[in-house]
Amino acid sequence: MKIAVAYDNGNIFQHFGRTESFKLYEIEDNTVISSKVIGSNGIGHGALAGLLAEQDVDVLICGGIGEGAQSALTKAGVELCSGAEGNADEAVEAYLKGELISTGANCDHHHEEGYSCGDHGEGHSCGGSCGGGCGAHQPAFTGRNVGKTCRTHYKGTFNDGTQFDSSYDRGEPLEFICGAGQMIQGFDKAVADMEVGQVVNVHLMPEEAYGMPDPNAIIPMKIEQLPGSEDLEVGQQVYLYNQLGQPVPVKVIEKDETNITFDANHEMAGKELNFQIELVEVK
């Protein structure tokens, strides 16, 4: 089984018809065994649906999508799970657990004409993981690898030495287009002028990683206004729906008998990160 996610800098891109890259996941026994990022072959739902069919994709996870795109995917034999938002890897895990529900076509005609579907509504945030450039994809740096597909191994640690991620452990290099906004800014910039075989160590402040926590992403609610929330526990991760009807991943951070508070910030927001990066291949 193969799942594709409309991809932007670690998160789910919110306008299918303008998707510049997809992250493809190979699934066996309901588990992700490998993943890679590929560029799209063109703009428009017909070209994108054809690309997914050529890649033997079974399921597409995306954000905003119109009826025309939904029809093109159906003709291509690709199952659609739309209305998703937030971290791409987490969305795939949620899909595999049966916790991700499609909203179907959720963009009107004006969206298909190029207006953004990515507004989270009410000022809520994904946590700044776009590094300040979700929409433009114009790198603020130059280098020999900008615009090229790079494959890197990496190990990520916090300042206390705790490891939070490693491609070495998965046995599969990370593939992305350098400078296309698919990675956090500091990682992308570090790779821009590396040579194949080179290993570098970088320390990223939050502004070059997942940004600072957004106070507007703290969402207090009355339990009585949210049926089912009485059963939630502090620390539990769930989805709330924004004004567009799109699910937003949040964590329960406070709860009492009458109130519950959610945090929609990325879990890495505000953290300094360290990466050991090895450039394996450029193509």
Side-chain angles (χ1 to χ4, degrees):
M1 178 184 183
K2 187 177 289 186
I3 298 175
V5 178
Y7 193 70
D8 178 39
N9 194 43
N11 291 327
I12 300 168
F13 187 61
Q14 291 300 303
H15 188 202
F16 173 75
R18 297 188 178 277
T19 300
E20 296 185 2
S21 59
F22 292 97
K23 189 167 185 179
L24 305 182
Y25 300 78
E26 290 281 354
I27 311 296
E28 287 187 6
D29 297 326
N30 218 40
T31 301
V32 177
I33 60 170
S34 67
S35 64
K36 66 178 180 179
V37 176
I38 65 170
S40 66
N41 286 343
I43 299 300
H45 55 248
L48 297 177
L51 170 65
L52 296 178
E54 291 173 3
Q55 294 290 327
D56 296 321
V57 168
D58 299 292
V59 178
L60 167 69
I61 297 175
C62 66
I65 190 168
E67 292 183 1
Q70 185 176 19
S71 176
L73 290 167
T74 299
K75 292 179 181 178
V78 178
E79 178 186 333
L80 173 65
C81 185
S82 62
E85 197 168 77
N87 182 271
D89 294 349
E90 292 174 1
V92 170
E93 292 297 330
Y95 176 86
L96 294 175
K97 294 176 182 177
E99 298 174 352
L100 197 62
I101 300 174
S102 178
T103 62
N106 49 24
C107 294
D108 62 21
H109 175 73
H110 297 291
H111 288 127
E112 286 295 311
E113 291 300 317
Y115 292 87
S116 172
C117 302
D119 183 8
H120 295 180
E122 300 181 348
H124 299 335
S125 167
C126 281
S129 59
C130 297
C134 277
H137 301 305
Q138 295 298 321
F141 50 86
T142 58
R144 72 186 78 192
N145 300 324
V146 172
K148 299 178 182 179
T149 298
C150 298
R151 302 182 78 231
T152 64
H153 266 308
Y154 68 92
K155 179 174 71 173
T157 58
F158 297 119
N159 285 344
D160 65 1
T162 301
Q163 178 178 299
F164 61 82
D165 194 12
S166 172
S167 65
Y168 293 101
D169 292 349
R170 293 189 295 274
E172 180 71 23
L174 173 68
E175 183 171 303
F176 62 96
I177 300 173
C178 186
Q182 296 172 357
M183 303 297 296
I184 55 175
Q185 185 180 24
F187 192 107
D188 215 8
K189 186 176 180 180
V191 174
D193 212 30
M194 290 179 64
E195 298 180 356
V196 173
Q198 183 179 1
V199 178
V200 300
N201 292 283
V202 295
H203 174 76
L204 305 184
M205 298 302 290
E207 292 77 10
E208 292 186 295
Y210 290 94
M212 295 301 294
D214 181 0
N216 291 321
I218 304 300
I219 311 166
M221 300 184 70
K222 294 289 186 182
I223 290 177
E224 63 183 18
Q225 296 176 334
L226 191 64
S229 62
E230 62 273 9
D231 298 324
L232 299 179
E233 299 179 358
V234 172
Q236 189 170 350
Q237 292 186 326
V238 295
Y239 286 88
L240 294 181
Y241 286 86
N242 63 17
Q243 290 179 329
L244 298 177
Q246 299 169 332
V248 180
V250 298
K251 177 184 285 188
V252 180
I253 57 173
E254 292 182 9
K255 184 185 178 187
D256 57 31
E257 292 183 357
T258 58
N259 302 293
I260 187 168
T261 303
F262 300 96
D263 186 355
N265 283 294
H266 192 282
E267 61 181 355
M268 295 288 198
K271 295 184 182 296
E272 298 180 25
L273 305 179
N274 302 286
F275 287 97
Q276 175 185 295
I277 306 171
E278 175 188 358
L279 183 57
V280 176
E281 182 183 7
V282 177
K283 53 186 180 180

